Amino acid sequence: MRNKYNYNNTDASKDYTVKVDVTNLQPNTYYYYEFEALGRLSQRGRTKTLATGNVSSLRIGLLSCSNYSFGYFNSYDIVKNNNDVDLLIHSGDYIYEDGFKKAGVDTIHRRTFPEYDAYDLNSYRLRYGWYHLDPSLRNLHQQYPMVVIWDDHEFANDAIADTSPSHNPVTQGTWAVRKANAIRVFKEWIPMREDTSRTNIINFTQNVGDLADIIYTEDRIQRTDVNNAQQAIDLALQIDNLAYDTPNRTMHGFRQMEWMCGQLKKSTAKWKILANQVVFSTYLFKAPILGGIPAHQAAGWDIYPLERKKVIDTINYYNIKNLVVISGDIHVAMAFDVPSGVVPYNATTGAGSAGVEFVSDDIVEGDVLPNAEAFMYANNP
């Protein structure tokens, strides 16, 4: 069966990208598609719709952190060639905004384009276009449906609501304009359903029959900073850092946190999958800049422990079963039990856990926690 969907024109205002929202598809079905323009056909693509009703299995490929200039995307090839997943989820850092560093080692001659940091409409567009010239990424999109949620590098390193330590307002303009440009280009280039009424379009829920509800969050550019330097030190260095957080700080925005907990409460699926950018679980790592003392990782939920407590409290109070958190960002493959805090956690049996978390390694970026395995095991029961 062939269906033809007519699309009007694209132009420079959309960076010559095209999206077609196809309707009336059957669940749990492979579909093949092509684009036609000016009498020529694209390569043929394949996708698969999610199952509905009584669903017995779901296989997700979890991806994270793909920096073009750090190496090849051969991990994408492995996923494509295995041909055994229903859905791909990229938990962010799909692109890296940073350009080539003068001190960088260019042994594989794989510089990104443009070679300076992307910061405006044109340079973000060029960066996404350059990434999509990579055959491994292009072929992966050609074979699978992929949900992409942004992390910080789709904007700038360690981005928060109102700034980034890597943003220079003198040479790169205001942060508000840069953030708006990054969101606009993300919408242009990433396969996703448009919602023009919302800016942070990546918090939504997918239902996979009675088996799983996948709850996608935005926890980067809604977040507010620490109140002062002492709070930052206390949140990072105090082993039980919950007491040092304050209710006026938010990682997700108050409305999104209410929505997230509401999605968990109303889900009747067997598995509740919280798909987010950064590590949910509490953990300590060896901080090189602090002489190797144990510290919390500043990018994840550890620096917003009150928000994590709200989620775990919701799980406990409403007796929600089978929570799975998936995340990335930290360039290390990890798995956690998430202690409930209600009954003592047993590291041998897993009793007392409110759920589990799986953290994806990077596609290619570099090790954030080098030679840390023994330390991590010793300091994270």
Side-chain angles (χ1 to χ4, degrees), residues 87-158:
L87 172 68
L88 299 174
I89 296 176
H90 199 301
S91 64
D93 294 343
Y94 177 89
I95 65 154
Y96 276 69
E97 88 295 350
D98 51 359
F100 182 73
K101 300 297 186 290
K102 290 182 179 179
V105 178
D106 191 25
T107 56
I108 61 173
H109 306 294
R110 190 171 155 87
R111 296 193 185 191
T112 192
F113 185 81
E115 291 193 0
Y116 56 86
D117 290 4
Y119 72 94
D120 61 3
L121 189 63
N122 184 57
S123 55
Y124 280 121
R125 283 173 167 174
L126 289 170
R127 181 74 89 247
Y128 277 89
W130 188 260
Y131 268 62
H132 282 87
L133 290 174
D134 181 89
S136 299
L137 176 59
R138 190 171 64 243
N139 292 340
L140 191 67
H141 274 295
Q142 185 187 8
Q143 293 299 316
Y144 293 109
M146 185 192 301
V147 176
V148 181
I149 54 178
W150 62 52
D151 197 9
D152 55 334
H153 284 286
E154 287 81 359
F155 300 86
N157 184 42
D158 289 337

Side-chain angles (χ1 to χ4, degrees), residues 1-14:
M1 180 181 70
R2 289 179 66 93
N3 291 326
K4 192 166 185 177
Y5 289 80
N6 292 319
Y7 191 85
N8 292 323
N9 295 319
T10 186
D11 53 34
S13 69
K14 304 171 185 175

Side-chain angles (χ1 to χ4, degrees), residues 237 285-295 375 379:
L237 298 185
F285 76 110
K286 184 186 294 187
I289 62 173
L290 299 174
I293 63 175
F375 181 91
N379 287 275

